[in-house]
Amino acid sequence: MGIKELEKTIGYNFKDKKYVETALTHSSYANERQMSLFNERLEFLGDSVLGFITAEYFFNNFNHLPEGQMTKLRAATVCEKALHSYALTIKLGDSLLLGRGEELTGGRTRASILADAFEALIAAIYLDGGMEKARDFVLPFIQKAAHEIPVISDYKTALQEIIQKNRDEHISYVLVGESGPDHNKQFEVEVRLNSNVIGLGVGKSKKTAEQQAAKKALELMGVSV
């Protein structure tokens, strides 16, 4: 796939093609041809641009999550596995310039190479079009990934990270009731801050009821969930 096809796929046309050409050039290709430009420096910049865009997105759109949870969520959406999947989505491997050795050993689908190239592509877009264009490119991947990661519904962890900022406070979950036949039981759990009930949850398992109780507690605190 050439540069024109890649531009059509990602919805961005480069004003200066040198940026995208460099982003697509792997060190193995450059070494074989004694070229000085390849994508490792762009990868370095792209990592930082990606980090900022994702941090900004989670800060603005997940205000129910404390810092620790946002850090975990960001890490999960920008790890090598995630970047590899994003690169596969746009068939980035088809556009890479690889040395013969990398070509013969499956470099076009290797996770590390594709993840690095994806970051380099982000940097190329940033240098060519600015932060807004880079953001437009990155966010669809991050938004989709973020909503597929279960950590964002972990209300117990979110509540715990808020409460633990005050060492004198203690959270506990107490089973206060269960009803229904064995095959369809309902559990009721209270979450208590010290001795005060701050949330009541109901669910078909104790864990689900605890999560619901934590959610109610977060709502009581005015945290958007």
Side-chain angles (χ1 to χ4, degrees), residues 51-117:
F52 173 77
I53 292 171
T54 53
E56 179 187 54
Y57 172 70
F58 294 132
F59 180 82
N60 289 333
N61 294 278
F62 291 80
N63 57 5
H64 64 288
L65 293 181
E67 183 253 349
Q69 285 291 91
M70 287 194 294
T71 297
K72 294 174 185 176
L73 188 54
R74 181 178 62 178
T77 55
V78 301
C79 66
E80 182 180 286
K81 180 180 178 181
L83 296 179
H84 179 221
S85 70
Y86 306 158
L88 289 175
T89 300
I90 60 173
K91 298 181 179 179
L92 186 57
D94 293 348
S95 299
L96 295 181
L97 299 176
L98 300 175
R100 292 190 63 184
E102 288 293 351
E103 186 79 65
L104 294 172
T105 57
R108 292 194 183 279
T109 57
R110 186 169 298 128
S112 58
I113 290 178
L114 286 179
D116 292 347

Side-chain angles (χ1 to χ4, degrees), residues 2 9 23 34 36 52 67 94 115 130 137 143 159 193 202 207 213:
T9 299
Q34 297 183 330
S36 59
F52 173 77
E67 183 253 349
D94 293 348
F137 171 63
Q143 290 169 337
L159 179 62
L193 178 59
V202 178
K207 288 185 177 180

Side-chain angles (χ1 to χ4, degrees), residues 43 132 137 159 183 199:
E43 173 205 337
E132 285 303 314
F137 171 63
L159 179 62
H183 68 277

Side-chain angles (χ1 to χ4, degrees), residues 116-131:
D116 292 347
F118 189 84
E119 289 183 327
L121 182 60
I122 293 170
I125 294 172
Y126 168 74
L127 291 171
D128 189 69
M131 182 60 79

Side-chain angles (χ1 to χ4, degrees), residues 27-206:
S27 59
S28 62
Y29 184 91
N31 291 336
E32 283 185 4
R33 289 159 179 76
Q34 297 183 330
M35 297 166 57
S36 59
L37 290 178
F38 46 94
N39 64 13
E40 287 182 3
R41 283 176 57 83
L42 284 179
E43 173 205 337
F44 170 79
L45 177 60
D47 178 71
S48 294
V49 174
L50 175 63
F52 173 77
I53 292 171
T54 53
E56 179 187 54
Y57 172 70
F58 294 132
F59 180 82
N60 289 333
N61 294 278
F62 291 80
N63 57 5
H64 64 288
L65 293 181
E67 183 253 349
Q69 285 291 91
M70 287 194 294
T71 297
K72 294 174 185 176
L73 188 54
R74 181 178 62 178
T77 55
V78 301
C79 66
E80 182 180 286
K81 180 180 178 181
L83 296 179
H84 179 221
S85 70
Y86 306 158
L88 289 175
T89 300
I90 60 173
K91 298 181 179 179
L92 186 57
D94 293 348
S95 299
L96 295 181
L97 299 176
L98 300 175
R100 292 190 63 184
E102 288 293 351
E103 186 79 65
L104 294 172
T105 57
R108 292 194 183 279
T109 57
R110 186 169 298 128
S112 58
I113 290 178
L114 286 179
D116 292 347
F118 189 84
E119 289 183 327
L121 182 60
I122 293 170
I125 294 172
Y126 168 74
L127 291 171
D128 189 69
M131 182 60 79
E132 285 303 314
K133 295 298 183 181
R135 187 181 286 109
D136 290 343
F137 171 63
V138 168
L139 280 183
F141 297 101
I142 301 302
Q143 290 169 337
K144 185 175 185 296
H147 287 89
E148 293 174 351
I149 297 171
V151 69
I152 100 172
S153 62
D154 189 352
Y155 301 112
K156 286 183 66 177
T157 300
L159 179 62
Q160 183 62 38
E161 292 187 1
I162 291 173
I163 299 302
Q164 70 185 13
K165 292 178 181 178
N166 188 333
R167 295 180 181 179
D168 296 327
E169 307 290 357
H170 174 68
I171 285 286
S172 61
Y173 293 86
V174 180
L175 179 66
V176 294
E178 55 181 281
S179 60
D182 288 342
H183 68 277
N184 190 28
K185 274 191 175 296
Q186 285 278 87
F187 297 88
E188 291 185 35
V189 171
E190 289 178 350
V191 56
R192 299 176 182 177
L193 178 59
N194 300 327
S195 60
N196 301 312
V197 177
I198 58 172
L200 174 66
V202 178
K204 292 187 176 182
S205 71
K206 292 178 183 178

